[in-house]
Amino acid sequence: MRTQPTTSTRRPARRSARRAVAASVTAALAISVMGLTAPLAANAAAVPAPSAHYDMSHSGSSLLDVSGNGRNATLTGLTDASFAQAGTDDVLRFRADGYAALPQGLVTAADNSFTVEYTVSTQTAANHFGWVIGDGVGPWNTTQLGNHIFLSPRSSQGGYANQVLAAIRVKSGTDNGETRMPAGGGLNPGFTTLTMVGSGNTLTLYRDGAVISTLTHTRSLSSIIPTGSVLGYLGRSLYQGDSLLRADVADVKFWDVALTAEEVSASMPTAAEKTAATAALLRGDVLANMLGSNPSLDSVSTNLTLPATVNGVSLSWASSAPAVVSTSGVVSRAITENTAVTLTATTSLGSTLTFDLTVLAPNVAADLDAIVLAERTTENLPLATTGAVNGAAITWTTSDPALVTATDAAYAAPSVGAADPFRGGGLVTRPAYGEGDREVTLTAQATLNGQTAERTFEVTVAELGRWAPDAGYAAAYFKSDGDEKIYQAATSGNDFFTFSPVNGGNAVITSTADTKGLRDPYILRSKDGDKYYMVATDLCISCGTGWGPAQSNGSLKIEVWESTDLVNWERTNGENTGITVNQPAAGMTWAPEAYWDDELQSYVVFFASRLYSDASHTNSDKLYARMFAVLTRDFRTFTYPPATWQDTGYARIDSTVTKIGDYYYRFTKNEESGAAGTLEAGKDIFLERSKVLTAPTTSSNWSADPETTWQLTDTRMTSLETGQAGEGPEITKLNEGDPNNTGDGYVFLVDNYSAGGYRAFVTTGAAIASSQQSNRLSQRPEWVVRPPGGLPASPRHGAFVSVTQTVLDALHDWADVAAVSSTTTLSADGREATAEVVAADGGDVAGTVTFSGGAWSETVGLEEGSASVDVPAGVASVTAHYDGYRDGLVSPSTSSAVAFGLELTATATTRCVAGKVTEIVQVTNADDVTATVTIAGRYGSKTVTIAAGKTASASFATRAIAIAADEVAVTATAADGRTHSSTVVVAAASCQ
């Protein structure tokens, strides 16, 4: 603030470079928002010159002391972007991202007299310090923690919630030595000046010049003032684990003397100054929240967010054209020309903020321009039926309805659960593995306000990926609050309890964007099984974010990747950043998971969040965590805003889902400290079921109808067995052949977050499905936690998923998937040769087989692992070579040779000669070489030479009136060494 004590020296000229709160209002902040742009008059009472004065002027890494004493503070983690211009002054916006180190000399240990004046605004209640005199960061009740005096502008401590907390601490023996000033209330709306005066053994705390707390103590500044170069900090706590400050700070002064009550009032910024700074800063904050996806006030086409409160200041809105922009921020898309509108916000401080904007007339083409479809898809397509820009009605047609469906004009939304935003369109039927990709043309027709436009999109539908039986498991997890990266592990084989780290135990993904922390990874296998998606929480506690700010001002993004081998991960959006799925009024986006919805033919992504009344996050009621859900088909575009999925009035987080039969089963954590209505214990897992995945839940009800909502079927499932609070539940179906699977096997896991990570329960799908209030799964004798071991070491809130042998091998080698070996077997039936190709992992085989013999060869496509060909006459020996497939996932192989004999056919007849039976055997040489043929039977043997393509006969007189059926052998040889051997049957005959 600009106010200067009457005896002080005017500060040096300000630096001209400042960061405006928002680029489009830089100039507006300097005009007379409150009619206060001229220098302020001197205060009536003379005030001693401060030892340092920080009005938030800054240069580089220095927070400038404008008292003339040259005691600049040193900034850490704070840059020009951390400062905002509010009227004629700067404000330092602490966002738990930095602090300022105060130099020695501001307060000395000569006596116990000092004064700190601190002008601040914050809506964040947390364990954070506004300022502290003292040094030495350490745990509670240790000598590492330096002695100190501190002030927290809005605390979350018991007895001080949302109030000012101040204390003096000098450790003595086993006593931590902290004495707190009595709670005296919270901050006033807008900027509040908190002044602490130390005089002798009394601390007095003023709020805007009025005493709110006093404390008599026995501590001495001589035990507090550090010996090093740092006196203390702005925005940093000395208690290890506390978060950095989240607050706006406008002005800070220090004196090495105790000010009188009159001097306290005279020194502090006036109410008008604080109101002006509040209003100016407020305008920028309102604008930053209100624009949403609109680029500027001059180009408004989507709904605005008009908050009811910002920074603790209430706002009431008026519009010059409510039909164009309503007082709730709804922007009309029915206008036919660009329209100017003025929005006016009247604040609870008595000021007004005006915003002049231009609403653009909708252009139907803009909705088509906003459509982005993947050039090649393995998933159903998100064929939007409502334009993302102007809300145009969009219908889709397709060149191949059997490949991709069009918009269903007769679609009707279900009575329960989410509606299909694509109205039956975009359903993809992928070609079978080995058939190759196929092309389709999709046409979108958009209609709005009488305008119509069309756009075509060419999409390649990918063939199904190669299937192989699952042969093991993979896991993803993070390790601790101090190690927020994604790690992976894999089993040694098809036994769930044989996990070991992969990638040499190193992190697989480390965030360099957003909060720079990754927690709660979840891996979902795609509906077709040939791709994996991973989602994770964007949160970094180790970066200095406290749990309070993490819930009240946490990320609105989820981090999303995709992979085919769990080794190579790529962002689904193609950018090094997460995807915003949550709404501005939300406080955080925690533990995202996903599951396939058979009805919607889409993935449902769900997460836990707080929900405030508006984007300003100023209310303090109804801030329990609840579950929200969005839909996606490609993990790149998501429905918006998120729908409330679970809101029972009690805190819930960490849902995970599986489907057994016709029902979805949902395990969720009760986040309450104790019972939550029907849920009988806090910090434990409960189970529900429903036939409708997206059905909303408003109560935990044993008697709820699972046809239309979620029915409670178990509660307090783990703590009685593990002795620990649990979260992050996961449910995994065991593979066939896993020794832990006695049939229909599942493993349920719970993260005992304070006791080493995951513990496991082995159960069955039938056991889960049969759980009910009178026969709960968790109360059955077989519900027993498995002894520790076999899981990744100390995993925190992660995921477990089945994998094929090739993926398992790739994980252990930490390399691309290698081709699996194959075996080709050749057999012959006459001149038909058949090749059977089998992959070593028992999976699909696609591609071609080339049969060859001599100068002849022929290539035939595989069908279900088999290929057949008719071998031409004259080909004596044939081999079959499996050529592989274009994906290179199965290695080629060659069969052993199969020899083909001479191609001879024989027929036998009889006739009567002189009343006696005569056998006649006729042999045809269908080969291309001359054959020497011997015909031998019961009545004799003859050898004949038969030229290629010719037929010869041999007769055998039996001298019998009647004969029984007789078998005659035909053997032959050729000059090329080929042979033939067969038999022919002479039927029974009689000449009587």
Side-chain angles (χ1 to χ4, degrees), residues 143-206:
T143 53
Q144 291 174 259
L145 176 64
N147 295 328
H148 57 270
I149 302 170
F150 76 86
L151 179 141
S152 174
R154 187 183 289 269
S155 175
S156 60
Q157 289 280 310
Y160 292 86
N162 290 301
Q163 299 188 69
V164 180
L165 169 60
I168 185 169
R169 187 260 193 187
V170 176
K171 181 171 175 56
S172 176
T174 59
D175 180 10
N176 185 65
E178 181 179 278
T179 303
R180 295 183 174 183
M181 300 187 72
L187 302 176
N188 290 324
F191 279 102
T192 300
T193 299
L194 300 172
T195 307
M196 182 187 290
V197 177
S199 179
N201 293 108
T202 299
L203 294 178
T204 304
L205 183 60
Y206 297 82

Side-chain angles (χ1 to χ4, degrees), residues 114 121 145 225 228 271 279 344 380 405 577 610 638 648 652 812 870:
F114 71 95
S121 174
L145 176 64
I225 302 299
T344 303
N380 290 341
T405 62
T577 184
R610 281 184 175 180
F638 298 81
T648 65
R652 291 178 165 211
H812 284 299
D870 290 328

Side-chain angles (χ1 to χ4, degrees), residues 547 551 588 590 608-610 623-627 646 648-655 668-676 679 681-686 700 725-729 751 753 797:
W547 285 109
Q551 295 176 79
M588 79 281 197
W590 279 6
S609 186
R610 281 184 175 180
L623 296 183
Y624 53 90
R626 61 202 83 169
M627 297 295 299
Q646 304 175 52
T648 65
Y650 298 99
R652 291 178 165 211
I653 63 172
D654 295 358
S655 286
T668 304
K669 180 192 179 185
N670 172 17
E671 183 63 355
E672 295 288 338
S673 298
L679 306 180
K683 309 298 183 183
D684 206 349
I685 312 304
F686 58 93
S700 302
E727 65 183 20
D751 177 9
Y753 49 93
H797 198 147

Side-chain angles (χ1 to χ4, degrees), residues 89 461 827 979:
D89 289 282
V461 176
S827 62
T979 62

Side-chain angles (χ1 to χ4, degrees), residues 296-338:
S296 70
L297 291 177
D298 295 329
S299 183
V300 173
S301 59
T302 62
N303 289 345
L304 301 169
T305 299
L306 304 184
T309 55
V310 172
N311 299 340
V313 178
S314 299
L315 305 173
S316 59
W317 289 90
S319 172
S320 65
V324 180
V325 181
S326 74
T327 54
S328 62
V330 176
V331 175
S332 172
R333 297 288 77 206
I335 60 176
T336 57
E337 59 183 16
N338 296 350

